[in-house]
Amino acid sequence: MPPTDSGLSSSSDDTLELQLPTDFGALYGDGHRPPESPDGPAAGPLLDNLAGWGAADTPVGSFALVPVRPDRDLDRITGWMNDPAVAAFWELAGPPETTAAHLRSQLDGDGRSVPCLGVLDGVPMSYWEIYRADLDPLARHYPARPQDTGIHLLLGAGYRGRGLGCTLLRATADLVLDHRPPCTRVVAEPDLRNTASVAAFLSAGFRYADELELPVKRAALMVRDRAHRQLL
């Protein structure tokens, strides 16, 4: 389990500026076409070919999860990790090597955790980790079910305090449930101190299931059940 949190913040301070390359449309697509499935864990069976899930239509635009490529994305993600509002919960502030090591631990693994950029209408604006919670150390701390799928996220500065977290959490949970038929629920474990994050999960149709004492934090176990997805 990475020492991270679903790093939403209620702050609207734009402490980072997204510097988009002139060819970002070619790099990330237009938000409507699914990204090409790369070779590697993101195209493997543990998360049912996450790289090929495609985009979800949301009230705020077309949203897609695009597996991270360090050669393309490292500087952007490093900048986010050094934003004080993010660093307070993710604890990954530092040089690019710190972020690269965190990404590499997932990219060099068996595909049980896939780091992704969240791309909204073609603009990379958030970082996500979609992971098999039942295969993660988190499973030692709650009654995990086979195929439980977990979420970590952070929003880039300029995208906080606008309700986007709730909308994109719901969209991402729906992507998981739509593309992973064996998965009966999506889980998350935000830090209890991060009240904005907990509130966003609740608004996105997750329920508060338990309080967990984890090695790195005291967390709220949030669950979105497939059986109740149309009700919440």
Side-chain angles (χ1 to χ4, degrees), residues 1-87:
M1 177 178 56
T4 61
D5 180 55
S6 303
L8 302 175
S9 169
S10 59
S11 170
S12 59
D13 293 340
D14 294 350
T15 56
L16 292 178
E17 294 293 333
L18 286 174
Q19 300 296 325
L20 300 179
T22 57
D23 60 347
F24 79 85
L27 290 174
Y28 297 102
D30 61 6
H32 296 277
R33 296 187 303 271
E36 292 184 8
S37 297
D39 294 330
L46 290 181
L47 283 166
D48 295 287
N49 187 25
L50 183 154
W53 286 1
D57 291 327
T58 81
V60 294
S62 182
F63 179 74
L65 296 169
V66 179
V68 164
R69 281 184 16 209
D71 61 324
R72 179 190 65 195
D73 305 322
L74 180 60
D75 288 346
R76 175 176 286 107
I77 299 171
T78 298
W80 288 337
M81 292 299 181
N82 280 279
D83 178 346
V86 171

Side-chain angles (χ1 to χ4, degrees), residues 19 34-35 41 131 140 145 156-157 197 206 224 226 232:
Q19 300 296 325
Y131 68 99
R140 302 170 189 161
R145 296 179 186 172
S197 180
F206 287 72
R224 186 161 187 220
R226 178 184 294 278
L232 298 173

Side-chain angles (χ1 to χ4, degrees), residues 115-183:
C116 298
L117 289 183
V119 179
L120 184 63
D121 283 339
V123 180
M125 45 70 67
S126 53
Y127 171 74
W128 300 72
E129 292 171 355
I130 310 300
Y131 68 99
R132 283 285 298 274
D134 61 324
L135 303 179
D136 188 85
L138 176 64
R140 302 170 189 161
H141 300 276
Y142 82 106
R145 296 179 186 172
Q147 303 291 334
D148 274 358
T149 304
I151 293 175
H152 295 133
L153 78 147
L154 67 86
L155 300 181
Y159 292 92
R160 305 182 199 133
R162 296 160 47 184
L164 286 176
C166 167
T167 299
L168 299 183
L169 276 170
R170 182 179 292 273
T172 298
D174 283 341
L175 282 171
V176 171
L177 295 173
D178 286 343
H179 294 279
R180 303 208 64 238
C183 173

